[in-house]
Amino acid sequence: MNTGLGFLRSSAGFARTDDISDGPNTAHTPPTRRTVQITARTGAPRLSAMGTTPAPSTHRPELADTTGNRLRLLDLVFAALAAALTVFHLIVALSDTPAPSTLVEVLLAVLFVPAFAVWRSRVVPAAIALTILTVAWTVNWLTALPVNLGISPFLVAVPMVVYSTARYRSDLLVPGVFTAIQSIWCFFSPLLWWWTPDHFERATGVQAASWIALQWLALGLVFVSARSARSAERHLVAEQEAARERERAGVAREIHDVLAHSLTLINMQAGAGVMLGGGATDRRAEILSTIQKVSSEALEEVRGIVGTLRDDSPPTSVTGMAGIRDMVGEFRSAGLTVEASLPEGEVSDSQVVRLTLRRVVQEALTNVLRHQGPGSTVTLTVEVTDEVHVVVDSRVGGPIPRRTRHCGAGLTGVRERVEHLGGTLDVDVSDPAHAQLVASFPVVAP
């Protein structure tokens, strides 16, 4: 229970930014393990009954139109090769009195370098730049005839434009337009010209048609290859999404099977104990009433978490400062001496922030009761500025209970919640008789 919804989602392998949504989700954390990004998502598939597998999702995962804004190694390699070629053109131009066409060639070579550097990280702008530069280079080449400027390796930009747009664009219009432009360019390609011992000659007839067909075939193969790679990656993303949903459903079942039945039984037995406890003044009846209340609240939260894991709906059991005051009262009834300094109003409009505060206080007081025992003195302070600042300072008031097994899972979950909001959580338990927890996190959820 202390780990909360965010920890459960994290355990199930979900990279989400909204434990509880305050409205439409407008921010996704860019994936860090792959260049693939999911750019759209509907609600998770629902379960039709307890223990069944998820119903097929109607959502079709789409891949991002780019691979991210950061530069990529292969692109930098192309840029480095282009830079080396630029240096070569510059050396050739400076070795003699350069003709205007040679100077233009050097200028275009310089401009190719940044275009190659963002070939896949900025797909459409890079494709536009490479297309314009290729056409300009071709025009300069034809204008310089009969001067032999050579067939530049920059012609590799033609299939690269087709590949990048077909590979990283979800629609067909953009790669179709660029492929059509490059197909038209084939009619003016310097590859259709032949250098004879004394001049250039343009290929004609069957020879010209063969060269154009060969270039079209190459562009077609590049286009089909890129679309096939994109389709395969989309299929992989869909399989990963389905696997996450199955794991999520499994977590929901485990939570229900482990906790819900036990809490229901505790709640019913506590209710029966209240009825047989011997009246309202009986200390046993008071204890049983507290057990019944706490188990009822816990059961409600378990059901809310299970429902959230199944249908992605936000839980409705989030309470504000009133709920925290009630919680403090419950821990006082359990034997803690709690001096609480709490704000009068709510700390935030965000349910995520309010739930995080509740979990921090709940985990801290639970640990005091468990590890330092009843009779311990606790000072709880919650201050609100541009951040929520929580300090829980506790001192042992009696014998220190024996340390239980599997300690630390609750603090791990709370720390993940706080860090998820961009905050920090520090715990000092170096002295078993004196513990302190300090947490700070923004008032507004990211």
Side-chain angles (χ1 to χ4, degrees):
M1 287 302 300
N2 295 333
T3 57
L5 180 57
F7 175 68
L8 292 171
R9 277 181 169 159
S10 176
S11 301
F14 305 111
R16 293 180 59 87
T17 61
D18 53 340
D19 277 0
I20 300 176
S21 176
D22 293 324
N25 183 18
T26 58
H28 277 275
T29 305
T32 57
R33 291 176 296 177
R34 295 178 52 82
T35 59
V36 180
Q37 302 175 28
I38 298 175
T39 58
R41 174 180 175 146
T42 59
R46 296 176 178 268
L47 296 185
S48 57
M50 179 66 66
T52 59
T53 56
S57 173
T58 58
H59 168 62
R60 181 180 182 182
E62 289 294 340
L63 307 181
D65 288 345
T66 68
T67 59
N69 294 331
R70 66 183 187 276
L71 299 179
R72 308 187 64 78
L73 179 60
L74 180 60
D75 300 356
L76 295 179
V77 170
F78 275 110
L81 293 175
L85 187 57
T86 301
V87 172
F88 171 77
H89 281 303
L90 182 60
I91 293 174
V92 171
L94 295 178
S95 63
D96 198 359
T97 302
S101 59
T102 303
L103 294 177
V104 171
E105 189 175 39
V106 172
L107 175 62
L108 294 176
V110 171
L111 297 177
F112 267 107
V113 176
F116 281 126
V118 294
W119 170 49
R120 292 181 301 168
S121 58
R122 296 286 188 179
V123 173
V124 174
I128 293 174
L130 289 174
T131 299
I132 293 174
L133 291 172
T134 303
V135 171
W137 184 86
T138 303
V139 171
N140 182 62
W141 191 90
L142 294 174
T143 303
L145 290 175
V147 175
N148 182 10
L149 294 180
I151 303 299
S152 175
F154 286 125
L155 291 182
V156 73
V158 174
M160 288 174 64
V161 166
V162 174
Y163 181 86
S164 63
T165 53
R167 174 67 178 80
Y168 299 114
R169 288 288 300 189
S170 59
D171 57 89
L172 285 174
L173 178 60
V174 172
V177 168
F178 279 105
T179 302
I181 292 173
Q182 302 302 338
S183 297
I184 295 173
W185 171 87
C186 291
F187 286 97
F188 308 97
S189 168
L191 296 176
L192 295 180
W193 290 76
W194 301 96
W195 176 252
T196 66
D198 53 351
H199 65 284
F200 273 103
E201 289 185 358
R202 182 176 175 82
T204 57
V206 176
Q207 192 178 46
S210 299
W211 272 104
I212 292 174
L214 182 62
Q215 293 181 80
W216 282 359
L217 177 62
L219 294 178
L221 290 176
V222 169
F223 184 92
V224 171
S225 174
R227 296 308 292 186
S228 297
R230 181 176 181 84
S231 177
E233 198 152 36
R234 181 188 291 116
H235 180 69
L236 176 61
V237 170
E239 287 184 341
Q240 292 175 338
E241 182 79 359
R244 283 194 293 266
E245 298 299 348
R246 288 193 296 270
E247 187 173 5
R248 185 167 163 170
V251 171
R253 289 196 300 273
E254 290 299 322
I255 291 174
H256 185 276
D257 292 345
V258 171
L259 291 178
H261 297 305
S262 299
L263 289 173
T264 300
L265 181 60
I266 292 171
N267 185 262
M268 294 178 64
Q269 292 295 326
V274 171
M275 296 178 63
L276 301 175
T281 59
D282 192 326
R283 176 60 177 163
R284 290 173 299 172
E286 182 182 350
I287 294 174
L288 290 171
S289 295
T290 300
I291 294 174
Q292 183 184 29
K293 179 182 177 182
V294 173
S295 62
S296 178
E297 292 175 352
L299 181 61
E300 181 182 355
E301 289 198 26
V302 167
R303 287 170 175 164
I305 292 172
V306 170
T308 300
L309 285 170
R310 286 180 172 174
D311 58 23
D312 218 19
S313 61
T316 58
S317 60
V318 179
T319 58
M321 293 307 302
I324 292 178
R325 290 188 176 88
D326 290 342
M327 183 198 306
V328 169
E330 293 166 0
F331 279 98
R332 285 171 177 157
S333 299
L336 295 182
T337 301
V338 183
E339 180 181 344
S341 176
L342 304 174
E344 292 298 327
E346 296 297 341
V347 299
S348 174
D349 294 331
S350 168
Q351 291 192 70
V352 179
V353 173
R354 285 156 54 185
L355 179 61
T356 300
L357 174 60
R358 177 182 175 88
R359 292 296 186 233
V360 168
V361 175
Q362 182 182 48
E363 179 64 21
L365 296 179
T366 298
N367 284 342
V368 172
L369 187 61
R370 179 185 301 165
H371 301 302
Q372 296 181 316
S376 298
T377 301
V378 182
T379 302
L380 167 63
T381 304
V382 177
E383 297 178 345
V384 182
T385 54
D386 55 343
E387 287 190 330
V388 181
H389 189 66
V390 185
V391 178
V392 181
D393 190 276
S394 60
R395 295 184 181 275
V396 172
I400 300 176
R402 182 180 178 183
R403 187 173 179 84
T404 58
R405 298 177 59 193
H406 308 299
C407 296
L411 281 176
T412 299
V414 170
R415 179 173 282 106
E416 288 176 351
R417 283 181 175 277
V418 172
E419 292 177 351
H420 170 75
L421 292 175
T424 59
L425 185 143
D426 297 311
V427 180
D428 182 4
V429 291
S430 55
D431 181 0
H434 178 213
Q436 186 178 69
L437 178 147
V438 179
S440 297
F441 45 92
V443 172
V444 180

